[in-house]
Amino acid sequence: MDNIRNIIFIDDETHQSLLPLTFTRPTGAIRVGILSIADKWSLRLNLPYSFYCKPYLQTKFPLKLSDDNIVIFGGLLPGQDIINNLNNLKTGQGIFSNGQLLICRVTRAQFNSVLLGKADFLEQILFEGKFESISHTYNIISKNKQEISNDFDLLTKGRVSEKLSSTVTIVGAETNPELRKKIFLEPGAKVEYVMLNPAEGPVYIGRDTLVMEGSIIRGPFAMCEHSQVNMGSKIYGGTTLGPWCKAGGELNNSIMQGYSNKAHDGFLGDSFIGEWCNLGADTNTSNLKNDFAEVKLWDYQTSRFLKTGMQFLGLIMGDYSRCGINTMFNSGTVVGVACNLFGPGFPRNFIPSFAMGGAHGFKNNTLNDVFRTIKIAQERRNLNFTDTDAQILKEVFEITKTFRTF
């Protein structure tokens, strides 16, 4: 079994620039498009994978070495040009771009040398093509539309969609029947009396999902298994609902990693929501500043707000965080892990992990309170809060202590 070729995703400095999302997962486990970064590579290469990540994450995301390993660094996305180079890669070779090591193929012993920064033994294969990668949280949002389309092609190639109900209106299909091919339903998907518009990108509706009546959805759009779109929802292109999510109200160009809810009216735009989050009824995010200026975002590496180059950018929320009804978020707000937000007014643009409160002030959200809430939420999905996840959160609580100055 150890001789089987496999993929290893190594967290590099991008792990820090992708916080708070990577407090609780490796970079490769982030969802962009329909799939996680790791799953994209795995499906294209037809290989298993594992992660080399922060020590406190390794129990949940263990490393699995073999005698033949494809090592991929950071948040590199699988484009066809780089796949072509990878297919010809021999053991002891690495693909480099402008001096940066992107991918290498190594034995078990050579892998340890790579980890120690002693990669001079690699024969350099220079890559002069274009490649895409996720190096900051806002990259996920800017690349999500294209990644939905890329993943749609990968997941549906050679397959036939489940039959679409005659109650569904496909905008533009009367004059362009080819648009029907840009809608794909997995088995168990229930879609009745809704309007779908795939003119600007595909619509992917996953296994055992439900899109309730009166909803209007524009592509590119993806919802993963067991997710639900509530009645009368308005969803714009670039939106991804990970598995077991509930969405309602208005969403635009936003990603929900999985197991999270924005089930009611309110606007979520150009945002990323982690796992096990809940947005209360009529929660609204601003994704555009009043003066149309470039949005700045909190950066964990520098402990400063840095320019993003983006005019539209809403909310970045780490895992296990939630907010009460009528919560308002300014453009470019970063919420850490396990926060509990409530009350009138706009909370500040950077809210550290394990904060409880809002515009009126904050205090610590204790581990006991966090664990109790998570257990209740997961029991509703017939899941159990594991000791492994509890230990990860204890580590994150300690790591983020310096940010909680209240």
Side-chain angles (χ1 to χ4, degrees):
M1 182 67 69
D2 283 350
N3 293 325
I4 293 177
R5 189 176 172 200
N6 96 121
I7 310 170
I8 299 172
F9 294 92
I10 290 187
D11 275 350
D12 54 17
E13 66 276 2
T14 61
H15 184 268
Q16 187 75 7
S17 60
L18 288 166
L19 296 173
L21 308 179
T22 46
F23 274 133
T24 46
R25 62 178 55 81
T27 300
I30 291 176
R31 187 179 307 279
V32 52
I34 305 174
L35 302 165
S36 71
I37 295 171
D39 284 335
K40 296 173 191 290
W41 284 99
S42 180
L43 283 176
R44 281 170 171 80
L45 299 179
N46 193 27
L47 293 174
Y49 65 82
S50 66
F51 303 96
Y52 183 81
C53 52
K54 296 289 184 181
Y56 74 90
L57 293 173
Q58 288 177 7
T59 301
K60 184 173 182 178
F61 303 96
L63 172 68
K64 297 177 183 177
L65 266 174
S66 76
D67 293 330
D68 187 2
N69 306 282
I70 301 294
V71 179
I72 300 174
F73 291 83
L76 185 67
L77 299 176
Q80 192 55 53
D81 285 348
I82 205 160
I83 291 285
N84 292 339
N85 278 254
L86 176 56
N87 287 335
N88 297 319
L89 201 65
K90 296 181 174 62
T91 302
Q93 293 181 330
I95 299 175
F96 289 76
S97 177
N98 295 322
Q100 176 188 0
L101 177 58
L102 303 178
I103 302 173
C104 60
R105 182 175 177 181
V106 294
T107 65
R108 186 186 304 269
Q110 290 171 334
F111 177 76
N112 291 327
S113 296
V114 170
L115 288 184
L116 294 172
K118 300 177 180 179
D120 293 345
F121 68 90
L122 291 172
E123 179 187 349
Q124 294 194 17
I125 308 298
L126 299 181
F127 179 70
E128 297 180 351
K130 182 181 179 182
F131 66 90
E132 300 286 346
S133 65
I134 301 299
S135 58
H136 294 87
T137 53
Y138 50 84
N139 294 152
I140 308 170
I141 295 164
S142 63
K143 297 180 189 299
N144 202 53
K145 286 183 179 180
Q146 185 58 53
E147 286 301 307
I148 291 174
S149 296
N150 294 345
D151 290 347
F152 181 90
D153 293 341
L154 176 66
L155 290 169
T156 64
K157 184 177 180 180
R159 301 176 60 214
V160 177
S161 169
E162 294 293 301
K163 186 177 180 181
L164 196 62
S165 169
S166 60
T167 65
V168 175
T169 299
I170 304 175
V171 176
E174 290 186 2
T175 57
N176 184 7
E178 290 295 306
L179 288 177
R180 296 180 179 274
K181 297 179 181 179
K182 297 173 71 174
I183 298 173
F184 194 94
L185 272 65
E186 295 283 4
K190 297 178 181 179
V191 186
E192 297 278 357
Y193 296 98
V194 304
M195 183 179 294
L196 305 177
N197 185 347
E200 295 183 7
V203 174
Y204 176 85
I205 300 178
R207 185 180 297 269
D208 299 322
T209 52
L210 172 62
V211 182
M212 292 185 181
E213 55 273 18
S215 296
I216 305 171
I217 299 173
R218 292 176 65 92
F221 167 77
M223 60 187 302
C224 300
E225 63 270 15
H226 300 286
S227 283
Q228 176 176 303
V229 172
N230 287 344
M231 289 192 298
S233 299
K234 297 176 290 185
I235 302 181
Y236 294 85
T239 298
T240 295
L241 307 180
W244 295 95
C245 288
K246 290 184 180 179
E250 185 177 6
L251 296 89
N252 177 36
N253 199 44
S254 294
I255 304 100
M256 299 171 73
Q257 175 81 12
Y259 294 93
S260 290
N261 296 332
K262 182 219 167 294
H264 305 287
D265 282 347
F267 175 68
L268 181 70
D270 296 278
S271 299
F272 190 105
I273 307 298
E275 288 189 349
W276 297 106
C277 297
N278 187 75
L279 307 185
D282 203 32
T283 292
N284 286 283
T285 62
S286 168
N287 64 338
L288 176 67
K289 294 170 69 85
N290 282 356
D291 59 0
F292 307 108
E294 176 183 353
V295 178
K296 294 181 179 180
L297 200 68
W298 176 262
D299 178 75
Y300 280 87
Q301 286 181 303
T302 61
S303 293
R304 295 172 54 200
F305 288 92
L306 298 182
K307 293 181 178 180
T308 63
M310 296 178 66
Q311 189 178 39
F312 290 90
L313 184 58
L315 169 67
I316 307 294
M317 178 177 278
D319 291 359
Y320 304 110
S321 287
R322 63 191 193 276
C323 63
I325 63 170
N326 298 313
T327 302
M328 302 185 296
F329 292 105
N330 271 310
S331 308
T333 296
V334 175
V335 176
V337 173
C339 295
N340 182 5
L341 310 176
F342 52 86
F346 288 94
R348 63 197 200 189
N349 283 40
F350 168 58
I351 302 171
S353 297
F354 298 93
M356 175 184 287
H360 55 284
F362 292 96
K363 64 178 182 179
N364 276 336
N365 194 12
T366 68
L367 282 170
N368 286 338
D369 286 341
V370 169
F371 290 173
R372 181 172 61 250
T373 302
I374 294 172
K375 288 175 182 177
I376 294 171
Q378 294 193 351
E379 284 171 0
R380 295 175 64 193
R381 302 285 178 88
N382 297 315
L383 296 172
N384 293 317
F385 183 49
T386 67
D387 291 341
T388 297
D389 284 324
Q391 187 58 45
I392 288 173
L393 286 177
K394 289 178 182 178
E395 293 284 347
V396 176
F397 185 85
E398 292 300 317
I399 292 168
T400 59
K401 188 176 293 185
T402 56
F403 294 107
R404 293 189 293 278
T405 56
F406 36 82

